[in-house]
Amino acid sequence: MSDLSEDELLEAIRRVLSGAGPEVVVGPGDDAAVLAPASGELVITTDVMVEGVHFDPALTSARDLGYKALIVNLSDIAAMAASPRSAVCALTIGGRPDVGWTIELLGGMREACDEHALWLVGGDLSRGGVTSIAVTVTGEVAPGHAVLRSGAKPGDRLVVTGSLGGSAAGLRASGRRGSWSEDERDAIRRHVRPSARVGEGAVLARHGATAMMDVSDGLALDLSRLASASGVGARLELAAVPLHPAATFAEALGGGEDYELLAALPVGEVDAARAELADAFGTPLADVGEITDAGIESVAEDGTVRPLEPAGWDHFAG
């Protein structure tokens, strides 16, 4: 714990965040940041992580939490096929500020920023009942080239990057005492340190993605959202869903927080996109189904077709 004043803590934070790109005219320390205008269209997203809802401080280090707070926003930027530019953070600290914890949190944010050429240019600091981390990220995309959820067409193939269910499996494993298998350790890493598929989103856009979104609330629920936004249906081939080795099938369909990309691609582009993603990033791309005219269905390995229940994470359920 510490008796540092707000100004002293802010100065310590500014030292962690020192440095900025050429587009940052005024960074942290003034009433507001000043950025040079982008040449493309501005993409902006925001996300909040709340103690007791999104994270348990007993199970997550401050550094991992800061890193994840940036990545969940960068994943939305990736889903629009945009390039990250800047971020601001409104941090509410539950109880008296712990300077060491706060600096570690910002260190994790700085780490995520460094990985994605992103600049944390300001924010706000307050005390409150529980800790919450509200981050806003801006990105840039060429005019008219943002990939929306709403463009999928019947006949498109459904593809997903990486594997699914790992985050939910990691959360499950982290709450269990005892030793973990290597697969469970990888799942825990995916839960506390997910990846933002920024480069992969750009590749899918170049291969003609007609619709795209990140899988943040579970494949089944997010697929239903993509289909609804596009006014189409979808058929999911269950045997093709890329399951993380530590995950159950239910976790792959509805666990959430995987932050992989779900996209609709023209059928003739799937193989080329898969090859480019493997070559550039080592990221697998699974063909998991197709866009149809109406209805959300699943197809079992034996060919049985059933309606797909849009189960997944809902903040206001229960």
Side-chain angles (χ1 to χ4, degrees):
M1 306 296 290
S2 172
D3 292 324
L4 259 65
S5 69
E6 180 180 356
D7 284 344
E8 289 171 326
L9 182 53
L10 286 170
E11 179 56 35
I13 289 170
R14 280 194 288 271
R15 287 197 293 270
V16 174
L17 301 178
S18 61
E23 66 269 35
V24 181
V25 180
V26 177
D30 217 302
D31 290 306
V34 179
L35 306 176
S39 58
E41 292 178 336
L42 180 68
V43 179
I44 187 166
T45 186
T46 191
D47 206 292
V48 63
M49 298 179 65
V50 180
E51 180 182 351
V53 178
H54 302 96
F55 69 92
D56 181 346
L59 298 176
T60 307
S61 73
R63 195 170 190 90
D64 286 341
L65 186 58
Y67 183 90
K68 187 173 182 177
L70 263 293
I71 292 297
V72 299
N73 283 275
L74 285 163
S75 185
D76 287 330
I77 295 293
M80 305 295 287
S83 298
R85 286 293 179 263
S86 63
V88 294
C89 174
L91 173 62
T92 301
I93 301 175
R96 291 180 63 193
D98 182 322
V99 174
W101 186 93
T102 304
I103 295 302
E104 279 296 299
L105 180 86
L106 272 294
M109 291 185 179
R110 175 66 186 267
E111 189 177 341
C113 287
D114 289 347
E115 287 183 9
H116 292 279
L118 177 74
W119 305 104
L120 190 54
V121 296
D124 190 34
L125 181 65
S126 180
R127 288 175 60 181
V130 297
T131 296
S132 69
I133 309 155
V135 174
T136 298
V137 170
T138 69
E140 182 183 354
V141 66
H145 283 71
V147 181
L148 312 182
R149 300 180 181 185
S150 54
K153 301 176 178 62
D156 288 343
R157 299 302 300 176
L158 283 168
V159 297
V160 65
T161 60
S163 64
L164 300 175
S167 179
L171 178 60
R172 170 170 50 83
S174 65
R176 190 193 75 235
R177 293 185 177 182
S179 60
W180 296 309
S181 69
E182 286 302 313
D183 288 338
E184 287 173 327
R185 290 181 185 278
D186 181 72
I188 291 170
R189 181 192 63 76
R190 288 171 184 252
H191 177 67
V192 300
R193 288 231 168 190
S195 297
R197 303 295 194 183
V198 175
E200 289 89 339
V203 169
L204 293 172
R206 285 200 301 271
H207 285 278
T210 57
M212 187 158 58
M213 66 182 296
D214 71 329
V215 182
S216 56
D217 294 327
L219 176 62
L221 180 56
D222 288 329
L223 174 57
S224 73
R225 290 167 171 164
L226 185 147
S228 176
S230 294
V232 296
R235 179 172 289 192
L236 181 67
E237 298 167 10
L238 299 181
V241 173
L243 180 67
H244 186 277
T248 66
F249 202 77
E251 287 169 335
L253 286 183
E257 289 205 323
D258 284 310
Y259 302 108
E260 298 292 351
L261 294 179
L262 172 67
L265 280 183
V267 63
E269 293 291 334
V270 174
D271 288 342
R274 180 185 292 119
E276 185 172 350
L277 288 181
D279 182 61
F281 307 106
T283 303
L285 185 70
D287 184 337
V288 297
E290 65 178 338
I291 296 295
T292 62
D293 291 314
I296 311 294
E297 300 174 325
S298 65
V299 183
E301 195 168 1
D302 64 3
T304 303
V305 178
R306 292 188 176 91
L308 180 66
E309 181 68 24
W313 170 256
D314 184 339
H315 285 90
F316 300 103

